Amino acid sequence: MSGELTLIATPHRRVYPAMDIAQQAYILLEITPSANAPAAQNQPVNVCLVLDRSGSMSGEKLNAMKQAARLVVDQLGVQDLLSVVIFDDAQPAELVVPGAPVIDRQAIQRKIEAIEERGGTHMSTGMRLGLQELQRGRSPERVSSMILLTDGQTWEDQQECRDLADQCRAAGISIQAFGLGVGAENNWDPRLLEELAQRSGGEWMPVESPDQVSAAFQKTLCAIQGAVVANANLTMRMVSGVTPRAVWRTAPLISRLDHHAVGANDIQVFLGEIRQGTGQALLADLLLPPRAAGIYRLIQADVTYDVPGSGLKGQRAAIDVTLDFVNDATQTGQVDERIMNLIEKVVAHRLQTQALDDAAAGNVSRATQRLRAAATRLLELGEVELARQADQQADLIEKGGHLDPAAAQKMRYATKRLTEIE
Amino acid sequence: MSVITCPSCNTPAPPGAVFCDHCGYDLRTVAPMGGQQVPPTYMIPSAEANEIICPNCQHANIAGSVFCENCGSQLAQAAAPGPSGLKPAVPAAQPPAAAAPAPAPAESMVVGRLVIQDSQVTLPIPPGKQVIIIGREDPVSGVFPDIDLDPHGGHEAGVGRRHAQLMVKEGQVYIEDLDSVNGTAVNRQRIAARQPQPLKSGDELRLGKMALIYYSK
């Protein structure tokens, strides 16, 4: 154990009632770089830009995308690997810049400058080529990540995109997905981008207008370069009877994370990179088995990771989660206010996301009901503007059966930021 | 030393085991070998702890739930045993957007002023409101607090966009920290987030590093 990470586990109650039936519990797991972790500001990276060059990108969007890509080149050096892939609906996608150390910046920028728009959107071809390039350059010394930008709905290859995101996770590569423009017809699908990020341990966000692409790429690149550890994988080993219901990331942003079973009682969650500053916080929603009074270690959590820069592989940090079950009912009312606040935010995010899914599936009454419930939660949280938006969309769908498409794209992301630190 | 038996699930555990492999029970509390083992007991009978019915939507939630799975309402069971539960009952200050608030009696309005200690600038409390949000205006995220500290160095001092709020309950003015990053203090005592504290004229408030004096007139 080399101590780059510090793990803290906090249950949502100080003590739990001893019961002969199952009960729900939340455990907050905070994973932060240790004080003595090497300062991470300029970690060597292995980055592939996978960019949409379809016809709808023409003009301002294409120029903004090229400008953003050129700025990425400026931020990288000889220790980094960069590749650039562009895709439309032609097979295969085009490798504009093959993965190599960034030595001659101008030569790379000239190749980016020459990109022209054409065709439709078939995202999986771009992702596949991008993954190949990233895999060639993959090593524990570098943080590997795919930066994906699209403005359109990909045609008939959503499943291939999802499969590729799974392959990225297996290779320890996160996807940072950006949807450019909001509200236009045949626009990018926020659900698909969310899923790609979720499956690969990455993040997604809408970029509302072309002039914001550069800033979005810069922020993401800084986050990747600021990773203290990469390829982080959480394993939760639970005693028989503990059932995981969901695992949420609450910092840096709220995301539901995929967990998959390994062995009878264990689950694994891919976390991707863990950065200086915020680290990652996870909220595990669990069902606890019946327990009599006593102290129990119900979960052992460990995180394995690589340390870029030093090239250390498979490092490990671990913590025991012990819970105290008591018979005294007067003690069990005490909840951890900080965790309750996080749960409340996750609940608001979940309700709103479900409502958007309901709306997309044409379930008007369910969507209306959930949007109103989300609005109530958001108001309680003091998020007046978000609450107003949810209420407005509830009115809209109730009357016309449809949401405003721009609002739907923005709202899916907006509640992810409820836990964001200013 | 010999094998011990977990009193909770009767699984044998090797000597020196700290937790039972099967059920997770803390075996350090178990007397090794021969010691009298009192089986632990349950207290809460399942009848009263079974499901939690949401008062808002009647959805049946599993035991221990803190928010309704269906509608998100906070379930009463989660309320901390405090003076008045988890959340202050803000007097209908934030009704669902549609309902027009009924005119409130004058005694439930927040009145007075805040004086910034460093610059001695007086910030009047806008009249006619039951809740006054103190923070920093941020048009990008649509946050417009009633008292904006941004022009007074609020950002540098660590004031959040929605940092704290003033409100009146039964004639008493309260300050409540809105889960701010840098915290709120009354007379140099940090207050817990989301728990309103009574405030009297002349009290010093600190939002982040910014000190203000509250005067009721």
Side-chain angles (χ1 to χ4, degrees), chain A residues 30-69:
Chain A
E30 290 165 291
I31 307 166
T32 47
S34 308
N36 59 359
Q41 254 147 27
N42 222 339
Q43 300 284 21
V45 299
N46 170 32
V47 164
C48 181
L49 302 177
V50 178
L51 307 173
D52 187 345
R53 54 119 50 134
S54 61
S56 57
M57 287 288 291
S58 76
E60 212 189 337
K61 286 198 235 172
L62 193 78
N63 287 334
M65 178 182 90
K66 290 199 278 192
Q67 169 69 12

Side-chain angles (χ1 to χ4, degrees), chain B residues 1-5 30-38:
Chain B
M1 292 258 271
S2 70
V3 169
I4 51 177
T5 303
V30 178
M33 175 91 208
Q36 191 196 357
Q37 287 184 359
V38 184

Side-chain angles (χ1 to χ4, degrees), chain A residues 242-271:
Chain A
V242 178
T243 315
R245 286 157 43 90
V247 179
W248 296 89
R249 185 190 279 150
T250 59
L253 297 175
I254 300 179
S255 308
R256 188 177 184 137
L257 299 182
D258 282 357
H259 64 263
H260 51 274
V262 284
N265 296 315
D266 304 349
I267 58 163
Q268 216 165 55
V269 182
F270 184 66
L271 304 177

Side-chain angles (χ1 to χ4, degrees), chain A residues 191 351-371 397 403 412:
Chain A
R191 282 173 301 165
L351 282 168
Q352 182 148 305
T353 308
Q354 283 176 335
L356 295 171
D357 289 345
D358 290 334
N363 190 340
V364 172
S365 64
R366 193 101 188 110
T368 312
Q369 189 201 343
R370 282 204 168 120
L371 277 171
I397 192 167
L403 297 175
R412 198 171 192 92

Side-chain angles (χ1 to χ4, degrees), chain B residues 123-211:
Chain B
L123 305 169
I125 292 173
K129 292 198 166 184
Q130 294 175 294
V131 174
I132 297 290
I133 307 276
I134 312 172
R136 281 189 301 108
E137 184 172 306
D138 179 12
V140 180
S141 47
V143 176
F144 299 96
D146 301 302
I147 294 181
D148 176 18
L149 296 177
D150 206 40
H152 307 285
H155 190 261
E156 297 71 30
V159 176
R161 288 177 293 190
R162 296 170 52 84
H163 194 108
Q165 64 186 21
L166 296 171
M167 69 194 131
V168 176
K169 225 160 49 177
E170 290 160 0
Q172 169 69 53
V173 178
Y174 288 83
I175 175 96
E176 179 182 357
D177 178 80
L178 298 172
D179 237 334
S180 66
V181 175
N182 296 310
T184 302
V186 177
N187 298 328
R188 311 268 172 131
Q189 297 292 311
R190 188 163 178 149
I191 63 171
R194 300 259 163 210
Q195 287 178 17
Q197 296 292 323
L199 202 59
K200 59 183 191 309
S201 194
D203 277 348
E204 186 211 74
L205 283 178
R206 271 176 192 256
L207 277 58
K209 287 188 201 145
M210 186 175 243

Side-chain angles (χ1 to χ4, degrees), chain A residues 24 291 295 297 337 341 382, chain B residues 23-24 26 43 63 86 162 179:
Chain A
Q24 194 183 12
R291 280 291 183 271
I295 294 169
R297 180 186 65 185
E337 291 298 334
N341 183 265
Chain B
C23 75
D26 186 347
M43 73 107 186
L86 191 66
R162 296 170 52 84
D179 237 334

